[in-house]
Amino acid sequence: MKAIIAGGGIAGLAAALALTRRGWEVEVFERAPEFTEAGAGLSLWPNALRALDALGVGEHVRGQAAMAGQAGIRDATGRWLSRTDTAGLERRYGQAAMIHRADLLAVLLAAVPDEALRPGVTVQEARPDGTVLHSGGQARADLVVGADGMRSAIRQSVWPASPAPRYSGYTSWRVVTPPVPVAEAAESWGRGERFGYAPLPDGRIYCYATANAPEGAPGGGSPSCAAGSAAGTTRSRRCWTRPTLAPCCTTTCSSCRRSGPTSTGASCWPGTPPTP
């Protein structure tokens, strides 16, 4: 039996690993010239770690991850609203972890046979008989897996009337900072905004933020990303405390990523912390 997988990200490589462990012949078509991951941090909850155990890579992933510590929710002043009972969570469900997406992808990539990997190949169409048209020609399989992202060519092939991605009403930013002495994870809630951070195993900090904003708004409506404008700075001072922003506020724009259906580039926090 043969499977073709469109997309060589975390989902595609996990599917490839699962199928090869069952004896399937697999080809993974990835449009990028190499299999890489440019994202930020990723939470792995107990079910995810159990799935990775079933794929035979759970211990390798744990070796690259920070096992979950204290976490909780703060308000915009820094006051704790709730704290997570991580010990109770672990007793009932198992361990959770935080890992950089690139490290998880590297573990999966190392476990998939080299002969299954086809970088630099863009999937264009899948047909009901299992034929896949791609930038290098065509191939056929008993199973075709679409793991090719939000604008999936596989989805469009099997569901041509599928609706286009819809903007959710808020934009998100993700960034990884240089090492900062932060021991716990937290998420702070402001008016129409959220900001969170969690430590990675090497001391770097994964930070993320969301802000409600109209689709296509300049800067995505970020509380402090509006091109360094006075309005953006004032707004961030009102919404966030220095302890909350400190891990991320000195990050350069080269490492900050903005996500959203209409996003075309990166936005970032200012270079100096706002004064609460």
Side-chain angles (χ1 to χ4, degrees), residues 176-181 202-205 247 250-252 255:
V176 174
T177 77
V180 176
D202 60 0
R204 293 179 299 167
I205 307 299
T250 57
T251 300
T252 61
S255 60

Side-chain angles (χ1 to χ4, degrees), residues 1-9 12-32 34-35 108-121 123 134 139 141 143 145:
M1 301 288 281
K2 179 179 178 178
I4 290 175
I5 298 172
L13 291 180
L17 179 55
L19 289 165
T20 56
R21 286 171 61 87
R22 291 285 185 169
W24 284 60
E25 178 189 354
V26 175
E27 284 189 294
V28 183
F29 294 145
E30 167 55 44
R31 65 182 179 182
E34 57 185 7
F35 289 81
L108 293 169
L109 185 62
V112 175
D114 289 343
E115 59 270 20
L117 305 175
R118 304 284 186 271
V121 178
V123 171
H134 55 78
L143 172 68
V145 178

